[in-house]
Amino acid sequence: MQYINWLSHYKDDRRSAVTFGKFDGLHRGHQMLVEKVRELGNANKINSVVCSFDMRPLYLRKGIHPQMLMTGQERYKHLDGLVDYLVECPFTEKFSGLGAEEFIRDIICDLFHASYVVVGTDFRFGFGKKGDIKMLASYAETFGYELIVIEKERYHNREISSTYAKEMLKEGKMEVVSDLLGYPYELTGVVEHGKKLGRWLGFPTFNVVWPEDKMAPPYGVYLSEVSVDGRTYGGISNVGVKPTVTEENHLLIETFLFGYSEDAYGKEVTVRLLHYRRPEQKFDSIEEMKACIEEDILYGKHFFGMEK
């Protein structure tokens, strides 16, 4: 898959099947759009394209500090091998002023040379969100593309959306989040050096800094699954600021892996949060904290079906 971070950098003149959206979280509804684009691309020997709107420039102009379900790197990782192109489209002031008809002519037709446009039922585009699926349908014959509208995927009689996933994430309902996304909520990052307190206490951990614009679940202890060096391990993770041992208020995810004893510093890892165990708390002593962590480890071993 080729990654392109500006519309103007897309230079492929081949016909395409393209889908548009913010794709925050790449939840199960998004995955239906991606799968349809992939299917059309393969069947018609044309490019399969995911055009993802990067809303950060708009949020910056409005002074909004968004909390996203995934980083750009994570989106790339999930889409790699599925489509031919991931095109990130920064929502600049110039782009946000583009009229709906201009979007169809300049982006769908002239840039992507679309044979197929795949969108959800609520897709809106153009200045003032004046464009919708009715407008796309009305221009299809003029610009030579076929419009394919995918109905919303539902979960417990509610439409799956990034908003729905965020609501469940705020409540720590990780199993529901996993059902909505189609995969466990995860964080990919590089292991950094910590204070090595866990090693001193007898259960070495590794730290990954939580990205500033990625939404964090409730601070606390989670049962997790971690991929490192091509292998996957069960573990327990603490998402939070470690109030017992520091006052830096620096958001980290700190993880202890079952059966892993190597040096992970500097390695990229992916931590998937499976189950919310308990909230983060400040202990009166290191000994009290150690006893609670030992209980967490026993709980984790039971969760993963390991012998105590």
Side-chain angles (χ1 to χ4, degrees), residues 21-271:
K22 293 191 285 289
F23 297 104
D24 185 23
L26 273 173
H27 56 62
R28 283 167 45 196
H30 295 145
Q31 291 166 31
M32 293 174 65
L33 300 175
V34 173
E35 181 55 35
K36 189 62 178 180
V37 162
R38 180 188 186 188
E39 174 190 315
L40 290 167
N42 289 338
N44 296 279
K45 294 182 172 53
I46 57 179
N47 288 332
S48 52
V49 180
V50 172
C51 182
S52 175
F53 301 135
D54 179 0
M55 306 304 293
R56 287 176 297 177
L58 174 64
Y59 296 147
L60 184 62
R61 292 198 305 273
K62 293 189 173 185
I64 299 172
H65 300 284
Q67 292 291 285
M68 313 301 287
L69 292 171
M70 67 175 13
T71 65
Q73 177 191 15
E74 291 165 349
R75 185 178 298 107
Y76 175 90
K77 185 187 72 170
H78 275 268
L79 288 174
D80 192 25
L82 296 181
V83 294
D84 296 315
Y85 287 95
L86 168 59
V87 182
E88 294 278 5
C89 174
F91 219 82
T92 62
E93 192 166 2
K94 180 180 179 181
F95 180 78
S96 63
L98 195 67
E101 293 86 354
E102 292 175 294
F103 181 89
I104 295 173
R105 184 192 66 221
D106 298 348
I107 308 302
I108 292 177
C109 179
D110 292 347
L111 181 68
F112 289 122
H113 312 288
S115 292
Y116 300 92
V117 177
V118 181
V119 294
T121 54
D122 62 349
F123 179 61
R124 305 299 293 262
F125 59 95
F127 181 74
K129 297 183 178 180
K130 292 182 179 178
D132 57 13
I133 58 173
K134 290 182 179 179
M135 179 180 282
L136 281 173
S138 69
Y139 279 93
E141 185 175 351
T142 301
F143 288 104
Y145 60 80
E146 181 180 339
L147 174 65
I148 298 175
V149 179
I150 304 295
E151 293 293 328
K152 292 288 186 178
E153 184 81 351
R154 303 184 74 87
Y155 179 81
H156 288 186
N157 207 33
R158 179 176 171 183
E159 290 182 354
I160 293 177
S161 66
S162 301
T163 299
Y164 190 4
K166 288 178 180 180
E167 289 175 9
M168 296 298 99
L169 186 62
K170 286 181 181 178
E171 297 179 19
K173 296 180 178 178
M174 307 313 297
E175 289 85 352
V176 178
V177 174
S178 179
D179 285 341
L180 296 173
L181 297 179
Y183 60 90
Y185 194 60
E186 61 186 26
L187 171 72
T188 297
V190 176
V191 178
E192 298 190 355
H193 285 277
K195 296 183 177 180
K196 298 184 172 60
L197 178 62
R199 189 175 302 276
W200 177 71
L201 292 173
F203 26 79
T205 60
F206 57 70
N207 297 325
V208 176
V209 174
W210 197 276
E212 185 176 349
D213 58 354
K214 182 179 174 72
M215 186 173 177
Y219 291 1
V221 174
Y222 293 80
L223 280 300
S224 60
E225 184 181 79
V226 182
S227 294
V228 54
D229 291 333
R231 298 184 63 185
T232 300
Y233 302 83
I236 59 170
S237 297
N238 184 83
V239 177
V241 294
K242 301 193 287 186
T244 305
V245 297
T246 181
E247 296 181 356
E248 296 177 358
N249 201 36
H250 193 39
L251 183 56
L252 300 167
I253 182 166
E254 183 179 21
T255 302
F256 169 79
L257 295 188
F258 300 121
Y260 184 83
S261 58
E262 299 177 36
D263 185 353
Y265 294 122
K267 294 181 179 180
E268 184 177 88
V269 300
T270 297
V271 184

